[in-house]
Amino acid sequence: MKNPSDEASHNFTEALAYYPSVAREIDIKALVEIGKPAVPSLVLALKDPNLYKRISAAIALGEIKDEEAVEPLIELSSDEKSKARASAASALGKI
C-alpha cells in the first residue's frame, strides 16, 4: 500500500504546472505542510519542462529546508530561464 503522503505529494506537485498562481500558492503551502515526504516529488519537478512547476517546486523546497534538495537546486541555478534561476538561488539561501 502506498504511503498517503507520497500520493498527496505527487498530486500536489503535478498540480503546480496547471493551476492559476493562487492555486499554485495553495499547492505550495500543502507541500510544505507535508514536509520531507514531499521532497522526492519536488526534486523531480525541478526538471519538468513547465517553468512554473520548476519555480513552484523550488519555492516549496526552500520552505521545507531539506538538505537533500541542495544539489538539485544548484542544478536549477543554471536553468535557461532567469525566473527559475532566481527561485533556485532564493531556495538555496533558505536552506
Side-chain angles (χ1 to χ4, degrees):
M1 179 182 248
K2 267 187 148 179
N3 182 338
S5 64
D6 290 345
E7 188 172 340
S9 299
H10 174 75
N11 292 338
F12 282 118
T13 303
E14 286 300 308
L16 294 174
Y18 301 108
Y19 293 107
S21 62
V22 173
R24 275 198 306 273
E25 290 175 24
I26 293 168
D27 290 338
I28 290 168
K29 288 179 184 178
L31 287 159
V32 172
E33 286 287 321
I34 292 169
K36 187 167 178 65
V39 171
S41 290
L42 289 166
V43 166
L44 287 175
L46 294 176
K47 296 183 180 197
D48 195 88
N50 183 288
L51 173 63
Y52 296 105
K53 191 171 182 180
R54 295 193 309 274
I55 291 169
S56 298
I59 292 168
L61 288 166
E63 295 300 320
I64 294 170
K65 298 179 174 82
D66 189 297
E67 291 190 13
E68 187 179 322
V70 170
E71 286 301 317
L73 286 166
I74 289 171
E75 289 177 29
L76 185 64
S77 68
S78 63
D79 195 275
E80 65 184 35
K81 300 291 185 181
S82 63
K83 289 181 180 182
R85 293 192 303 269
S87 295
S90 178
L92 286 165
K94 292 178 179 185
I95 299 172

